[in-house]
């Protein structure tokens, strides 16, 4: 505010819309020039290859419910470092 640049996009110099400043007073860029999320805001890349455990016993015929006690046995089926 002191240097007269508050409310102006630091990339284009265009005014940042009032609605954006009202919602995010610290905004320094217009939506068009907003940066992509920082790595901390993204989901972990592991989630792209993970599958959810079965929701119920019907999803895994012949086996019991999925719980932490059976997690190691489930992992062993996929192999290990040995």
């Amino acid at each position: 505010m002191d240097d007269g640049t508050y409310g102006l996009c630091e990339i284009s110099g265009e005014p940042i819309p009032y609605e954006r400043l009202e919602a995010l007073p610290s905004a320094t860029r217009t939506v068009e020039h907003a940066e992509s999320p920082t790595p901390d805001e993204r989901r972990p890349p592991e989630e792209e290859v993970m599958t959810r455990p079965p929701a119920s016993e019907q999803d895994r015929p012949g086996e019991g419910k999925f719980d932490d006690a059976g997690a190691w046995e489930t992992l062993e089926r996929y192999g290990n470092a040995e």
Side-chain angles (χ1 to χ4, degrees):
M1 289 185 133
D2 291 337
D3 62 4
T5 59
Y6 180 76
L8 298 177
C9 177
E10 65 185 8
I11 302 296
S12 66
E14 297 175 2
I16 300 171
Y18 174 78
E19 293 80 10
R20 179 164 170 77
L21 290 173
E22 187 174 36
L24 185 64
S26 62
T28 58
R29 297 178 178 190
T30 59
V31 174
E32 294 80 18
H33 295 110
E35 295 178 9
S36 61
T38 62
D40 294 339
E41 295 171 339
R42 293 188 205 131
R43 302 299 303 168
E46 293 86 3
E47 288 186 356
E48 295 175 15
V49 296
M50 291 173 57
T51 57
R52 293 192 175 277
S56 66
E57 191 172 339
Q58 293 87 351
D59 294 339
R60 294 188 338 168
E63 298 185 28
K65 291 175 130 180
F66 185 87
D67 61 9
D68 289 341
W72 180 251
E73 288 77 19
T74 303
L75 289 172
E76 279 186 317
R77 280 190 239 141
Y78 292 99
N80 56 34
E82 294 178 358

mmCIF file of all heavy atoms in Angstrom, residues 16-59:
data_model
loop_
_atom_site.group_PDB
_atom_site.id
_atom_site.type_symbol
_atom_site.label_atom_id
_atom_site.label_comp_id
_atom_site.label_asym_id
_atom_site.label_seq_id
_atom_site.Cartn_x
_atom_site.Cartn_y
_atom_site.Cartn_z
ATOM 1 N N ILE A 16 -6.383 -5.837 -9.886
ATOM 2 C CA ILE A 16 -6.956 -7.097 -9.413
ATOM 3 C C ILE A 16 -8.404 -6.815 -9.052
ATOM 4 O O ILE A 16 -8.681 -5.839 -8.339
ATOM 5 C CB ILE A 16 -6.176 -7.626 -8.192
ATOM 6 C CG1 ILE A 16 -4.712 -7.880 -8.564
ATOM 7 C CG2 ILE A 16 -6.827 -8.889 -7.635
ATOM 8 C CD1 ILE A 16 -3.816 -8.200 -7.395
ATOM 9 N N PRO A 17 -9.354 -7.612 -9.543
ATOM 10 C CA PRO A 17 -10.768 -7.349 -9.255
ATOM 11 C C PRO A 17 -11.045 -7.245 -7.749
ATOM 12 O O PRO A 17 -10.469 -7.977 -6.942
ATOM 13 C CB PRO A 17 -11.492 -8.553 -9.859
ATOM 14 C CG PRO A 17 -10.570 -9.056 -10.916
ATOM 15 C CD PRO A 17 -9.195 -8.781 -10.407
ATOM 16 N N TYR A 18 -11.930 -6.325 -7.409
ATOM 17 C CA TYR A 18 -12.276 -6.071 -6.014
ATOM 18 C C TYR A 18 -12.731 -7.352 -5.319
ATOM 19 O O TYR A 18 -12.366 -7.609 -4.175
ATOM 20 C CB TYR A 18 -13.373 -4.999 -5.937
ATOM 21 C CG TYR A 18 -13.880 -4.787 -4.541
ATOM 22 C CD1 TYR A 18 -13.150 -4.042 -3.628
ATOM 23 C CD2 TYR A 18 -15.084 -5.353 -4.121
ATOM 24 C CE1 TYR A 18 -13.603 -3.859 -2.332
ATOM 25 C CE2 TYR A 18 -15.547 -5.180 -2.833
ATOM 26 C CZ TYR A 18 -14.804 -4.429 -1.937
ATOM 27 O OH TYR A 18 -15.250 -4.264 -0.658
ATOM 28 N N GLU A 19 -13.520 -8.175 -6.016
ATOM 29 C CA GLU A 19 -14.039 -9.400 -5.419
ATOM 30 C C GLU A 19 -12.898 -10.332 -5.005
ATOM 31 O O GLU A 19 -12.950 -10.984 -3.974
ATOM 32 C CB GLU A 19 -14.982 -10.129 -6.387
ATOM 33 C CG GLU A 19 -16.261 -9.398 -6.678
ATOM 34 C CD GLU A 19 -16.100 -8.280 -7.714
ATOM 35 O OE1 GLU A 19 -15.032 -8.176 -8.367
ATOM 36 O OE2 GLU A 19 -17.058 -7.504 -7.862
ATOM 37 N N ARG A 20 -11.852 -10.397 -5.825
ATOM 38 C CA ARG A 20 -10.696 -11.244 -5.493
ATOM 39 C C ARG A 20 -9.967 -10.686 -4.273
ATOM 40 O O ARG A 20 -9.590 -11.429 -3.371
ATOM 41 C CB ARG A 20 -9.751 -11.347 -6.690
ATOM 42 C CG ARG A 20 -8.509 -12.181 -6.418
ATOM 43 C CD ARG A 20 -7.818 -12.589 -7.706
ATOM 44 N NE ARG A 20 -6.522 -13.184 -7.510
ATOM 45 C CZ ARG A 20 -6.298 -14.425 -7.094
ATOM 46 N NH1 ARG A 20 -7.315 -15.203 -6.804
ATOM 47 N NH2 ARG A 20 -5.069 -14.892 -6.960
ATOM 48 N N LEU A 21 -9.787 -9.393 -4.235
ATOM 49 C CA LEU A 21 -9.107 -8.782 -3.090
ATOM 50 C C LEU A 21 -9.941 -8.901 -1.824
ATOM 51 O O LEU A 21 -9.399 -9.046 -0.726
ATOM 52 C CB LEU A 21 -8.788 -7.315 -3.377
ATOM 53 C CG LEU A 21 -7.704 -7.082 -4.418
ATOM 54 C CD1 LEU A 21 -7.592 -5.601 -4.736
ATOM 55 C CD2 LEU A 21 -6.369 -7.635 -3.936
ATOM 56 N N GLU A 22 -11.255 -8.857 -1.978
ATOM 57 C CA GLU A 22 -12.125 -9.002 -0.816
ATOM 58 C C GLU A 22 -12.004 -10.426 -0.246
ATOM 59 O O GLU A 22 -11.953 -10.621 0.960
ATOM 60 C CB GLU A 22 -13.568 -8.714 -1.206
ATOM 61 C CG GLU A 22 -14.517 -8.676 -0.031
ATOM 62 C CD GLU A 22 -15.908 -8.252 -0.456
ATOM 63 O OE1 GLU A 22 -16.345 -8.621 -1.559
ATOM 64 O OE2 GLU A 22 -16.550 -7.561 0.344
ATOM 65 N N ALA A 23 -11.926 -11.409 -1.129
ATOM 66 C CA ALA A 23 -11.810 -12.800 -0.704
ATOM 67 C C ALA A 23 -10.390 -13.137 -0.240
ATOM 68 O O ALA A 23 -10.198 -13.917 0.686
ATOM 69 C CB ALA A 23 -12.208 -13.731 -1.838
ATOM 70 N N LEU A 24 -9.396 -12.546 -0.895
ATOM 71 C CA LEU A 24 -8.000 -12.826 -0.593
ATOM 72 C C LEU A 24 -7.209 -11.522 -0.612
ATOM 73 O O LEU A 24 -6.584 -11.160 -1.616
ATOM 74 C CB LEU A 24 -7.440 -13.805 -1.641
ATOM 75 C CG LEU A 24 -6.033 -14.325 -1.434
ATOM 76 C CD1 LEU A 24 -5.942 -15.169 -0.175
ATOM 77 C CD2 LEU A 24 -5.606 -15.135 -2.642
ATOM 78 N N PRO A 25 -7.229 -10.774 0.488
ATOM 79 C CA PRO A 25 -6.584 -9.456 0.519
ATOM 80 C C PRO A 25 -5.091 -9.474 0.201
ATOM 81 O O PRO A 25 -4.546 -8.475 -0.239
ATOM 82 C CB PRO A 25 -6.815 -8.963 1.944
ATOM 83 C CG PRO A 25 -7.986 -9.746 2.445
ATOM 84 C CD PRO A 25 -7.913 -11.067 1.749
ATOM 85 N N SER A 26 -4.449 -10.618 0.388
ATOM 86 C CA SER A 26 -3.011 -10.687 0.115
ATOM 87 C C SER A 26 -2.692 -11.045 -1.334
ATOM 88 O O SER A 26 -1.521 -11.211 -1.688
ATOM 89 C CB SER A 26 -2.368 -11.721 1.045
ATOM 90 O OG SER A 26 -2.919 -13.005 0.803
ATOM 91 N N ALA A 27 -3.714 -11.156 -2.191
ATOM 92 C CA ALA A 27 -3.490 -11.516 -3.588
ATOM 93 C C ALA A 27 -2.595 -10.481 -4.261
ATOM 94 O O ALA A 27 -2.803 -9.281 -4.136
ATOM 95 C CB ALA A 27 -4.814 -11.622 -4.335
ATOM 96 N N THR A 28 -1.599 -10.977 -4.986
ATOM 97 C CA THR A 28 -0.695 -10.074 -5.705
ATOM 98 C C THR A 28 -0.804 -10.257 -7.216
ATOM 99 O O THR A 28 -0.103 -9.582 -7.963
ATOM 100 C CB THR A 28 0.766 -10.323 -5.284
ATOM 101 O OG1 THR A 28 1.106 -11.690 -5.555
ATOM 102 C CG2 THR A 28 0.965 -10.012 -3.800
ATOM 103 N N ARG A 29 -1.691 -11.193 -7.635
ATOM 104 C CA ARG A 29 -1.863 -11.451 -9.058
ATOM 105 C C ARG A 29 -3.344 -11.652 -9.381
ATOM 106 O O ARG A 29 -4.119 -12.056 -8.535
ATOM 107 C CB ARG A 29 -1.112 -12.720 -9.474
ATOM 108 C CG ARG A 29 0.377 -12.605 -9.280
ATOM 109 C CD ARG A 29 1.057 -13.879 -9.651
ATOM 110 N NE ARG A 29 2.502 -13.736 -9.492
ATOM 111 C CZ ARG A 29 3.369 -14.618 -9.916
ATOM 112 N NH1 ARG A 29 2.956 -15.712 -10.521
ATOM 113 N NH2 ARG A 29 4.646 -14.417 -9.740
ATOM 114 N N THR A 30 -3.700 -11.372 -10.624
ATOM 115 C CA THR A 30 -5.054 -11.672 -11.080
ATOM 116 C C THR A 30 -5.192 -13.183 -11.205
ATOM 117 O O THR A 30 -4.200 -13.911 -11.197
ATOM 118 C CB THR A 30 -5.335 -11.023 -12.448
ATOM 119 O OG1 THR A 30 -4.376 -11.525 -13.386
ATOM 120 C CG2 THR A 30 -5.272 -9.505 -12.388
ATOM 121 N N VAL A 31 -6.419 -13.665 -11.338
ATOM 122 C CA VAL A 31 -6.644 -15.105 -11.469
ATOM 123 C C VAL A 31 -5.895 -15.653 -12.683
ATOM 124 O O VAL A 31 -5.329 -16.744 -12.634
ATOM 125 C CB VAL A 31 -8.160 -15.409 -11.572
ATOM 126 C CG1 VAL A 31 -8.409 -16.871 -11.865
ATOM 127 C CG2 VAL A 31 -8.868 -14.994 -10.301
ATOM 128 N N GLU A 32 -5.883 -14.897 -13.760
ATOM 129 C CA GLU A 32 -5.214 -15.347 -14.976
ATOM 130 C C GLU A 32 -3.715 -15.568 -14.767
ATOM 131 O O GLU A 32 -3.095 -16.377 -15.440
ATOM 132 C CB GLU A 32 -5.407 -14.341 -16.122
ATOM 133 C CG GLU A 32 -6.838 -14.221 -16.593
ATOM 134 C CD GLU A 32 -7.705 -13.335 -15.695
ATOM 135 O OE1 GLU A 32 -7.160 -12.535 -14.907
ATOM 136 O OE2 GLU A 32 -8.927 -13.471 -15.776
ATOM 137 N N HIS A 33 -3.125 -14.838 -13.842
ATOM 138 C CA HIS A 33 -1.689 -14.945 -13.605
ATOM 139 C C HIS A 33 -1.356 -15.623 -12.280
ATOM 140 O O HIS A 33 -0.184 -15.649 -11.880
ATOM 141 C CB HIS A 33 -1.044 -13.555 -13.635
ATOM 142 C CG HIS A 33 -1.126 -12.914 -14.977
ATOM 143 N ND1 HIS A 33 -1.940 -11.834 -15.219
ATOM 144 C CD2 HIS A 33 -0.536 -13.216 -16.156
ATOM 145 C CE1 HIS A 33 -1.825 -11.486 -16.486
ATOM 146 N NE2 HIS A 33 -0.986 -12.315 -17.081
ATOM 147 N N ALA A 34 -2.365 -16.166 -11.625
ATOM 148 C CA ALA A 34 -2.126 -16.843 -10.350
ATOM 149 C C ALA A 34 -1.220 -18.044 -10.568
ATOM 150 O O ALA A 34 -1.290 -18.723 -11.585
ATOM 151 C CB ALA A 34 -3.442 -17.286 -9.730
ATOM 152 N N GLU A 35 -0.373 -18.293 -9.618
ATOM 153 C CA GLU A 35 0.557 -19.412 -9.716
ATOM 154 C C GLU A 35 -0.175 -20.723 -9.483
ATOM 155 O O GLU A 35 -1.207 -20.767 -8.838
ATOM 156 C CB GLU A 35 1.655 -19.264 -8.668
ATOM 157 C CG GLU A 35 2.539 -18.064 -8.889
ATOM 158 C CD GLU A 35 3.589 -17.934 -7.797
ATOM 159 O OE1 GLU A 35 3.729 -18.854 -6.989
ATOM 160 O OE2 GLU A 35 4.238 -16.891 -7.765
ATOM 161 N N SER A 36 0.398 -21.793 -9.999
ATOM 162 C CA SER A 36 -0.161 -23.109 -9.708
ATOM 163 C C SER A 36 0.115 -23.426 -8.243
ATOM 164 O O SER A 36 0.988 -22.818 -7.628
ATOM 165 C CB SER A 36 0.469 -24.152 -10.620
ATOM 166 O OG SER A 36 1.854 -24.211 -10.411
ATOM 167 N N PRO A 37 -0.616 -24.384 -7.682
ATOM 168 C CA PRO A 37 -0.431 -24.697 -6.263
ATOM 169 C C PRO A 37 1.010 -25.101 -5.958
ATOM 170 O O PRO A 37 1.694 -25.690 -6.802
ATOM 171 C CB PRO A 37 -1.368 -25.884 -6.028
ATOM 172 C CG PRO A 37 -2.253 -25.957 -7.198
ATOM 173 C CD PRO A 37 -1.598 -25.231 -8.316
ATOM 174 N N THR A 38 1.453 -24.759 -4.776
ATOM 175 C CA THR A 38 2.788 -25.164 -4.360
ATOM 176 C C THR A 38 2.773 -26.659 -4.087
ATOM 177 O O THR A 38 1.713 -27.242 -3.879
ATOM 178 C CB THR A 38 3.210 -24.409 -3.081
ATOM 179 O OG1 THR A 38 2.287 -24.754 -2.043
ATOM 180 C CG2 THR A 38 3.228 -22.915 -3.298
ATOM 181 N N PRO A 39 3.932 -27.304 -4.082
ATOM 182 C CA PRO A 39 3.956 -28.745 -3.834
ATOM 183 C C PRO A 39 3.253 -29.148 -2.539
ATOM 184 O O PRO A 39 2.687 -30.221 -2.459
ATOM 185 C CB PRO A 39 5.452 -29.065 -3.767
ATOM 186 C CG PRO A 39 6.084 -28.018 -4.610
ATOM 187 C CD PRO A 39 5.238 -26.780 -4.399
ATOM 188 N N ASP A 40 3.263 -28.306 -1.525
ATOM 189 C CA ASP A 40 2.606 -28.636 -0.265
ATOM 190 C C ASP A 40 1.093 -28.710 -0.414
ATOM 191 O O ASP A 40 0.430 -29.371 0.374
ATOM 192 C CB ASP A 40 2.952 -27.592 0.807
ATOM 193 C CG ASP A 40 4.427 -27.620 1.169
ATOM 194 O OD1 ASP A 40 5.078 -28.650 0.917
ATOM 195 O OD2 ASP A 40 4.911 -26.613 1.701
ATOM 196 N N GLU A 41 0.526 -28.035 -1.399
ATOM 197 C CA GLU A 41 -0.917 -28.008 -1.580
ATOM 198 C C GLU A 41 -1.407 -29.146 -2.477
ATOM 199 O O GLU A 41 -2.585 -29.415 -2.546
ATOM 200 C CB GLU A 41 -1.351 -26.671 -2.177
ATOM 201 C CG GLU A 41 -1.094 -25.500 -1.257
ATOM 202 C CD GLU A 41 -1.323 -24.172 -1.944
ATOM 203 O OE1 GLU A 41 -1.290 -24.104 -3.191
ATOM 204 O OE2 GLU A 41 -1.525 -23.188 -1.228
ATOM 205 N N ARG A 42 -0.501 -29.815 -3.187
ATOM 206 C CA ARG A 42 -0.883 -30.910 -4.079
ATOM 207 C C ARG A 42 -1.021 -32.199 -3.285
ATOM 208 O O ARG A 42 -0.462 -32.355 -2.226
ATOM 209 C CB ARG A 42 0.167 -31.098 -5.167
ATOM 210 C CG ARG A 42 0.232 -29.946 -6.116
ATOM 211 C CD ARG A 42 1.143 -30.274 -7.285
ATOM 212 N NE ARG A 42 1.643 -29.045 -7.818
ATOM 213 C CZ ARG A 42 2.911 -28.788 -8.086
ATOM 214 N NH1 ARG A 42 3.816 -29.692 -7.888
ATOM 215 N NH2 ARG A 42 3.280 -27.628 -8.566
ATOM 216 N N ARG A 43 -1.731 -33.155 -3.840
ATOM 217 C CA ARG A 43 -1.867 -34.469 -3.227
ATOM 218 C C ARG A 43 -0.591 -35.259 -3.512
ATOM 219 O O ARG A 43 0.059 -35.059 -4.537
ATOM 220 C CB ARG A 43 -3.081 -35.202 -3.782
ATOM 221 C CG ARG A 43 -4.393 -34.480 -3.590
ATOM 222 C CD ARG A 43 -4.748 -34.236 -2.156
ATOM 223 N NE ARG A 43 -4.789 -35.491 -1.412
ATOM 224 C CZ ARG A 43 -4.851 -35.555 -0.095
ATOM 225 N NH1 ARG A 43 -4.863 -34.470 0.629
ATOM 226 N NH2 ARG A 43 -4.886 -36.718 0.508
ATOM 227 N N PRO A 44 -0.227 -36.181 -2.643
ATOM 228 C CA PRO A 44 0.983 -36.974 -2.868
ATOM 229 C C PRO A 44 0.886 -37.796 -4.151
ATOM 230 O O PRO A 44 -0.184 -38.313 -4.475
ATOM 231 C CB PRO A 44 1.039 -37.899 -1.658
ATOM 232 C CG PRO A 44 0.071 -37.374 -0.677
ATOM 233 C CD PRO A 44 -0.896 -36.512 -1.410
ATOM 234 N N PRO A 45 1.977 -37.942 -4.883
ATOM 235 C CA PRO A 45 1.927 -38.693 -6.141
ATOM 236 C C PRO A 45 1.560 -40.159 -5.937
ATOM 237 O O PRO A 45 1.034 -40.800 -6.827
ATOM 238 C CB PRO A 45 3.332 -38.549 -6.717
ATOM 239 C CG PRO A 45 4.180 -38.046 -5.618
ATOM 240 C CD PRO A 45 3.293 -37.380 -4.630
ATOM 241 N N GLU A 46 1.803 -40.694 -4.743
ATOM 242 C CA GLU A 46 1.459 -42.090 -4.482
ATOM 243 C C GLU A 46 -0.029 -42.341 -4.644
ATOM 244 O O GLU A 46 -0.447 -43.443 -4.991
ATOM 245 C CB GLU A 46 1.878 -42.489 -3.062
ATOM 246 C CG GLU A 46 3.376 -42.502 -2.846
ATOM 247 C CD GLU A 46 3.922 -41.142 -2.466
ATOM 248 O OE1 GLU A 46 3.145 -40.184 -2.304
ATOM 249 O OE2 GLU A 46 5.150 -41.027 -2.342
ATOM 250 N N GLU A 47 -0.846 -41.319 -4.391
ATOM 251 C CA GLU A 47 -2.281 -41.495 -4.471
ATOM 252 C C GLU A 47 -2.749 -41.804 -5.895
ATOM 253 O O GLU A 47 -3.826 -42.354 -6.075
ATOM 254 C CB GLU A 47 -3.015 -40.273 -3.936
ATOM 255 C CG GLU A 47 -2.917 -40.164 -2.437
ATOM 256 C CD GLU A 47 -3.758 -39.049 -1.879
ATOM 257 O OE1 GLU A 47 -4.382 -38.296 -2.648
ATOM 258 O OE2 GLU A 47 -3.793 -38.917 -0.645
ATOM 259 N N GLU A 48 -1.939 -41.493 -6.880
ATOM 260 C CA GLU A 48 -2.321 -41.770 -8.259
ATOM 261 C C GLU A 48 -2.294 -43.260 -8.567
ATOM 262 O O GLU A 48 -2.991 -43.719 -9.467
ATOM 263 C CB GLU A 48 -1.397 -41.019 -9.218
ATOM 264 C CG GLU A 48 -1.529 -39.521 -9.120
ATOM 265 C CD GLU A 48 -0.524 -38.788 -9.995
ATOM 266 O OE1 GLU A 48 0.078 -39.428 -10.889
ATOM 267 O OE2 GLU A 48 -0.335 -37.586 -9.773
ATOM 268 N N VAL A 49 -1.505 -44.042 -7.841
ATOM 269 C CA VAL A 49 -1.401 -45.472 -8.108
ATOM 270 C C VAL A 49 -2.004 -46.341 -7.017
ATOM 271 O O VAL A 49 -2.108 -47.548 -7.172
ATOM 272 C CB VAL A 49 0.068 -45.881 -8.338
ATOM 273 C CG1 VAL A 49 0.620 -45.217 -9.579
ATOM 274 C CG2 VAL A 49 0.921 -45.553 -7.125
ATOM 275 N N MET A 50 -2.391 -45.736 -5.929
ATOM 276 C CA MET A 50 -2.966 -46.511 -4.826
ATOM 277 C C MET A 50 -4.390 -46.939 -5.141
ATOM 278 O O MET A 50 -5.116 -46.241 -5.832
ATOM 279 C CB MET A 50 -2.982 -45.670 -3.537
ATOM 280 C CG MET A 50 -1.623 -45.406 -2.971
ATOM 281 S SD MET A 50 -1.633 -44.254 -1.590
ATOM 282 C CE MET A 50 -2.733 -45.002 -0.443
ATOM 283 N N THR A 51 -4.761 -48.082 -4.621
ATOM 284 C CA THR A 51 -6.158 -48.510 -4.716
ATOM 285 C C THR A 51 -6.724 -48.558 -3.310
ATOM 286 O O THR A 51 -6.006 -48.813 -2.347
ATOM 287 C CB THR A 51 -6.273 -49.902 -5.362
ATOM 288 O OG1 THR A 51 -5.504 -50.835 -4.597
ATOM 289 C CG2 THR A 51 -5.778 -49.879 -6.796
ATOM 290 N N ARG A 52 -7.997 -48.307 -3.201
ATOM 291 C CA ARG A 52 -8.641 -48.342 -1.894
ATOM 292 C C ARG A 52 -8.843 -49.792 -1.455
ATOM 293 O O ARG A 52 -9.064 -50.657 -2.287
ATOM 294 C CB ARG A 52 -9.995 -47.651 -1.953
ATOM 295 C CG ARG A 52 -9.894 -46.173 -2.188
ATOM 296 C CD ARG A 52 -11.274 -45.548 -1.939
ATOM 297 N NE ARG A 52 -11.218 -44.118 -2.028
ATOM 298 C CZ ARG A 52 -10.842 -43.311 -1.043
ATOM 299 N NH1 ARG A 52 -10.499 -43.812 0.102
ATOM 300 N NH2 ARG A 52 -10.824 -42.014 -1.206
ATOM 301 N N PRO A 53 -8.778 -50.047 -0.149
ATOM 302 C CA PRO A 53 -9.103 -51.384 0.322
ATOM 303 C C PRO A 53 -10.574 -51.682 0.051
ATOM 304 O O PRO A 53 -11.371 -50.752 -0.096
ATOM 305 C CB PRO A 53 -8.811 -51.325 1.815
ATOM 306 C CG PRO A 53 -8.747 -49.898 2.160
ATOM 307 C CD PRO A 53 -8.406 -49.150 0.918
ATOM 308 N N PRO A 54 -10.940 -52.937 -0.034
ATOM 309 C CA PRO A 54 -12.341 -53.270 -0.286
ATOM 310 C C PRO A 54 -13.255 -52.648 0.761
ATOM 311 O O PRO A 54 -12.910 -52.580 1.933
ATOM 312 C CB PRO A 54 -12.369 -54.792 -0.189
ATOM 313 C CG PRO A 54 -10.958 -55.210 -0.416
ATOM 314 C CD PRO A 54 -10.092 -54.106 0.081
ATOM 315 N N ALA A 55 -14.407 -52.199 0.326
ATOM 316 C CA ALA A 55 -15.341 -51.528 1.224
ATOM 317 C C ALA A 55 -16.051 -52.509 2.137
ATOM 318 O O ALA A 55 -16.436 -52.161 3.245
ATOM 319 C CB ALA A 55 -16.363 -50.725 0.415
ATOM 320 N N SER A 56 -16.234 -53.742 1.683
ATOM 321 C CA SER A 56 -16.948 -54.709 2.515
ATOM 322 C C SER A 56 -16.455 -56.111 2.218
ATOM 323 O O SER A 56 -15.704 -56.354 1.267
ATOM 324 C CB SER A 56 -18.445 -54.622 2.243
ATOM 325 O OG SER A 56 -18.708 -55.044 0.916
ATOM 326 N N GLU A 57 -16.900 -57.059 3.032
ATOM 327 C CA GLU A 57 -16.494 -58.449 2.859
ATOM 328 C C GLU A 57 -16.975 -59.011 1.522
ATOM 329 O O GLU A 57 -16.324 -59.859 0.936
ATOM 330 C CB GLU A 57 -17.053 -59.276 4.011
ATOM 331 C CG GLU A 57 -16.484 -60.668 4.071
ATOM 332 C CD GLU A 57 -16.910 -61.398 5.326
ATOM 333 O OE1 GLU A 57 -17.289 -60.765 6.309
ATOM 334 O OE2 GLU A 57 -16.865 -62.635 5.284
ATOM 335 N N GLN A 58 -18.092 -58.515 1.019
ATOM 336 C CA GLN A 58 -18.607 -58.985 -0.258
ATOM 337 C C GLN A 58 -17.643 -58.663 -1.398
ATOM 338 O O GLN A 58 -17.632 -59.326 -2.420
ATOM 339 C CB GLN A 58 -19.981 -58.372 -0.581
ATOM 340 C CG GLN A 58 -21.085 -58.814 0.333
ATOM 341 C CD GLN A 58 -21.179 -57.941 1.588
ATOM 342 O OE1 GLN A 58 -20.323 -57.107 1.846
ATOM 343 N NE2 GLN A 58 -22.211 -58.150 2.379
ATOM 344 N N ASP A 59 -16.861 -57.607 -1.221
ATOM 345 C CA ASP A 59 -15.913 -57.219 -2.266
ATOM 346 C C ASP A 59 -14.716 -58.163 -2.330
ATOM 347 O O ASP A 59 -14.006 -58.205 -3.318
ATOM 348 C CB ASP A 59 -15.416 -55.796 -2.045
ATOM 349 C CG ASP A 59 -16.521 -54.779 -2.201
ATOM 350 O OD1 ASP A 59 -17.534 -55.094 -2.852
ATOM 351 O OD2 ASP A 59 -16.375 -53.661 -1.672
#
